[in-house]
Amino acid sequence: MDKQNQTVPGEFILMRITDRPELQAPFFVLFLTIYAVSAVGNLGMIVLTKVDSKLQTPMYFFLRNLAFIDLGYSTSVGPKMLVAFVTDQNTISYHWCAMQLTFFILFIISELFILSAMAYDRYVAICNPLLYTVVMSPRICWVLVAVPYVYSASVSLITTIQIFISSFCGYNIISHFYCDSLPLLTLLCSSTWEIELFILICSVFNLVSSFLIVLVSYILILKAILKMNTAQGRQKAFSTCGSHLTVVAVLYATLAFMYMQPKSSHSFDTDKMASVFFTLVIPMLNPMIYSLRNKEVKGALHRMWKNLCKIPI
């Protein structure tokens, strides 16, 4: 495009989940329900793991942070997406778009490395149980959480700043239902190869490093479990990993579906549905998985419910 058409847009136009009028109301109710369940589930998990005395272990410290992250990135996308169903034009201001992109990248990267920290926690608990309280001390747990947050915030800010200090052309329609880095790059007039290279390097590093930590941890866990003498011990070890493995499998399967399809099979509708699953459904599923598959969480919920029932009205 001509350089004379370069501008700083006051707002962007986002695509809708669907343009069919008859589906607007059903989709609004569906996604509102999903987001509400996600918000309540993750807030509940944060509160439960904070107040219940029997959930004050490293595993639940990481789970509390995972719930916070899930709540964060679903909230960065969900409410704006819901507004689009009840407004005539789905627009987002220049500054709100930058903010949405910043928080979305921050929480997504943090999720990958918090799940890696949780895998390492399970490895220490099963392979070195006698040293567990020493290795997974409160200080180490905070480091394993703080480093991903700082790193994610750095990558997020660098990506967002690089995009938003570049020159936009007059075209301001984003080919997505939220502000994501790759659709925004298509709107730039200036060269994007440096930003694209930075995003590619960071994406490969984030996915490969976090996946390798999870993979190596579970290979070592599996070796340790196979060496156990009793079936009861093996079953207990598997049960402590089941919820985390389910969450990891759902997340990486979704990422693989989104980013490893051949270009010929890509379609905007498919990408939209995958993104909806990634940004809204997974944050809803995670607290459910940990609640339904974890006896300690179910026990904590039962104790909290009994205490609430004792409160006089």
Side-chain angles (χ1 to χ4, degrees):
M1 290 189 184
D2 270 341
K3 297 294 181 183
Q4 66 184 13
N5 289 332
Q6 294 176 8
T7 184
V8 175
E11 63 182 16
F12 295 100
I13 299 173
L14 297 169
M15 304 294 284
R16 297 178 185 275
I17 296 293
T18 179
D19 290 322
R20 296 174 60 180
E22 69 274 15
L23 294 178
Q24 298 292 325
F27 273 17
F28 175 78
V29 173
L30 173 64
F31 293 129
L32 177 62
T33 303
I34 291 173
Y35 177 70
V37 172
S38 173
V40 170
N42 284 296
L43 279 172
M45 190 64 73
I46 292 169
V47 172
L48 193 66
T49 55
K50 187 69 177 176
V51 301
D52 193 278
S53 59
K54 294 187 178 181
L55 300 184
Q56 305 306 307
T57 64
M59 184 176 80
Y60 294 106
F61 172 76
F62 292 125
L63 181 56
R64 181 160 64 248
N65 280 276
L66 180 66
F68 169 72
I69 290 166
D70 284 338
L71 180 64
Y73 78 78
S74 62
T75 301
S76 69
V77 173
K80 183 70 185 80
M81 186 190 73
L82 290 170
V83 170
F85 289 112
V86 294
T87 55
D88 293 329
Q89 194 170 24
N90 187 20
T91 60
I92 185 169
S93 72
Y94 178 85
H95 294 100
W96 275 109
C97 184
M99 191 176 295
Q100 186 182 62
L101 177 64
T102 301
F103 282 108
F104 183 72
I105 295 174
L106 186 155
F107 287 122
I108 291 299
I109 297 175
S110 297
E111 172 127 342
L112 292 173
F113 289 104
I114 291 298
L115 287 172
S116 300
M118 293 173 78
Y120 176 71
D121 170 72
R122 292 300 82 207
Y123 156 72
V124 177
I126 293 171
C127 299
N128 296 291
L130 298 178
L131 296 175
Y132 181 68
T133 54
V134 177
V135 176
M136 300 304 294
S137 65
R139 183 179 178 182
I140 296 298
C141 290
W142 273 109
V143 169
L144 290 174
V145 166
V147 170
Y149 282 144
V150 172
Y151 166 72
S152 303
S154 302
V155 172
S156 174
L157 287 171
I158 291 170
T159 304
T160 304
I161 291 170
Q162 282 187 321
I163 290 174
F164 281 86
I165 63 172
S166 300
S167 301
F168 284 90
C169 301
Y171 192 70
N172 68 335
I173 299 177
I174 299 175
S175 301
H176 215 330
F177 62 88
Y178 62 90
C179 292
D180 199 4
S181 54
L182 296 182
L184 280 166
L185 289 178
T186 63
L187 306 183
L188 300 181
C189 283
S190 52
S191 174
T192 61
W193 74 268
E194 289 183 355
I195 309 174
E196 289 178 357
L197 181 62
F198 177 78
I199 292 172
L200 177 62
I201 291 171
C202 290
S203 299
V204 171
F205 172 77
N206 297 338
L207 289 170
V208 173
S209 60
S210 61
F211 181 73
L212 282 177
I213 293 169
V214 173
L215 183 63
V216 171
S217 297
Y218 275 105
I219 288 173
L220 295 173
I221 287 170
L222 184 60
K223 287 176 65 178
I225 289 174
L226 293 176
K227 290 179 181 178
M228 291 179 179
N229 296 322
T230 64
Q232 185 179 3
R234 287 193 292 270
Q235 184 179 1
K236 184 179 179 181
F238 274 122
S239 67
T240 63
C241 300
S243 299
H244 180 258
L245 268 175
T246 304
V247 169
V248 168
V250 171
L251 177 66
Y252 279 96
T254 307
L255 288 172
F257 177 80
M258 288 173 68
Y259 296 110
M260 296 180 67
Q261 295 181 80
K263 287 186 177 181
S264 58
S265 64
H266 263 278
S267 73
F268 180 57
D269 288 338
T270 303
D271 289 344
K272 278 194 297 185
M273 289 302 104
S275 296
V276 166
F277 188 83
F278 186 65
T279 56
L280 288 181
V281 179
I282 287 180
M284 178 189 70
L285 291 177
N286 286 352
M288 288 183 175
I289 292 168
Y290 276 101
S291 298
L292 296 174
R293 294 182 59 91
N294 191 301
K295 291 181 180 179
E296 291 177 332
V297 172
K298 286 192 283 188
L301 284 169
H302 181 66
R303 287 191 295 274
M304 179 176 279
W305 179 252
K306 284 179 66 177
N307 290 334
L308 288 174
C309 290
K310 291 177 183 178
I311 298 174
I313 299 175

